[in-house]
Amino acid sequence: MQIKRYNQILLQLVLLLVASASLFNSMANTLGGVRNSSSSNTDEIHGLARFAVDEHNKKENAMLKLARVVKVQEQVVAGTLHHLTLEVDDDVGNKKIYLAKVWVKPWLNFKELQEFNHIGEPNADRDIEIEGDGSGYQVVPVHDLVVQDAANHVLKTLQQRSNSLYPYELLEVVHAKAETAEGLAKYDILLKLKRNDKEEKFKANVHRDNEGAFHVNHMAQDLS
């Protein structure tokens, strides 16, 4: 009888140890692990990316310019450590990829750049994160910084060609597709604009050359 009771107690202890180990691993993954984030296109992330580049420029007397946020990961510490993969332009226009780590404690209004390291060069064939099978034009995020730059270039071109006294205002990028070939990026974008009190939609095809300059290949009002 005592042996049976002893075995039961031993079994309970083993089960308790297994459960404790599982709980510990789960907590470790939750509190200290790095996880992917889907918030790469939010104003908060763009602000942190600009902060990282500005802080690096101040410390290193550099002249890097943020092009876009490529990837975002987060790590829960005493606050949040944001791991930001950034594409930047250097002072001669070359594109480079950096990994920045920004520590944020919102309740203390605390923000600090922990690391800013060069990790490689952008691959022209993978320069744009796309959805689809990889052939022809593919959907790209409308909040991507490069897409936004292309949209602003279309807006500027449209304004230059317009005889209206009222300026156009960009309300949103409704849809965007892109393809890359031999280092040249091509964008098909649909824009919602406002002029005076009237909203209009324009579709445009924009090319971005190897030096990062945009060129409007075609532009027309969308009447659909």
Side-chain angles (χ1 to χ4, degrees), residues 19-195:
S20 299
S22 177
L23 178 61
F24 177 80
N25 288 334
S26 176
M27 292 178 62
N29 289 332
T30 302
L31 296 177
V34 178
R35 60 182 178 85
N36 291 330
S37 172
S38 59
S39 59
S40 60
N41 293 316
T42 65
D43 291 339
E44 178 189 5
I45 294 301
H46 288 163
L48 291 176
R50 289 190 291 269
F51 169 79
V53 173
D54 290 344
E55 287 295 295
H56 172 77
N57 285 343
K58 291 176 185 177
K59 293 179 181 179
E60 303 296 332
N61 195 27
M63 297 180 64
L64 300 181
K65 181 180 178 181
L66 177 66
R68 68 186 179 110
V69 179
V70 177
K71 183 178 180 181
V72 178
Q73 293 180 302
E74 295 176 349
Q75 182 178 8
V76 178
V77 287
T80 303
L81 187 62
H82 296 271
H83 298 237
L84 309 176
T85 303
L86 309 176
E87 179 182 308
V88 303
D89 297 320
D90 65 16
D91 55 353
V92 294
N94 294 323
K95 293 193 174 298
K96 299 181 181 297
I97 301 295
Y98 280 81
L99 176 61
K101 295 183 182 180
V102 182
W103 185 17
V104 177
K105 291 188 279 188
W107 66 94
L108 295 177
N109 197 27
F110 172 88
K111 182 168 55 179
E112 182 177 85
L113 178 64
Q114 296 287 301
E115 296 181 22
F116 197 92
N117 298 318
H118 178 222
I119 60 173
E121 315 300 326
N123 185 326
D125 294 332
R126 299 179 183 175
D127 188 46
I128 302 170
E129 292 190 2
I130 60 177
E131 300 173 2
D133 59 8
S135 60
Y137 279 90
Q138 306 295 332
V139 174
V140 293
V142 296
H143 295 295
D144 188 288
L145 293 180
V146 180
V147 173
Q148 291 293 320
D149 287 344
N152 286 323
H153 181 77
V154 172
L155 181 66
K156 180 181 177 181
T157 303
L158 182 62
Q159 190 62 49
Q160 290 173 344
R161 298 179 183 179
S162 173
N163 295 322
S164 174
L165 297 176
Y166 297 101
Y168 282 95
E169 177 187 353
L170 177 61
L171 297 180
E172 67 171 312
V173 179
V174 179
H175 187 70
K177 297 188 296 182
E179 72 170 356
T180 57
E182 299 178 356
L184 180 68
K186 302 177 182 179
Y187 298 84
D188 266 346
I189 53 180
L190 178 62
L191 308 178
K192 180 187 288 186
L193 307 176
K194 182 178 181 181
R195 181 174 57 174

Side-chain angles (χ1 to χ4, degrees), residues 197-212:
D197 293 326
K198 182 181 179 182
E199 292 187 3
E200 303 174 48
K201 288 184 179 180
F202 279 83
K203 52 187 177 182
N205 181 263
V206 188
H207 293 181
R208 185 183 187 218
D209 62 27
N210 292 327
E211 296 179 354

Side-chain angles (χ1 to χ4, degrees), residues 10-22:
L10 184 61
L11 178 60
Q12 290 175 351
L13 288 174
V14 170
L15 293 175
L16 180 62
L17 288 173
V18 171
S20 299
S22 177

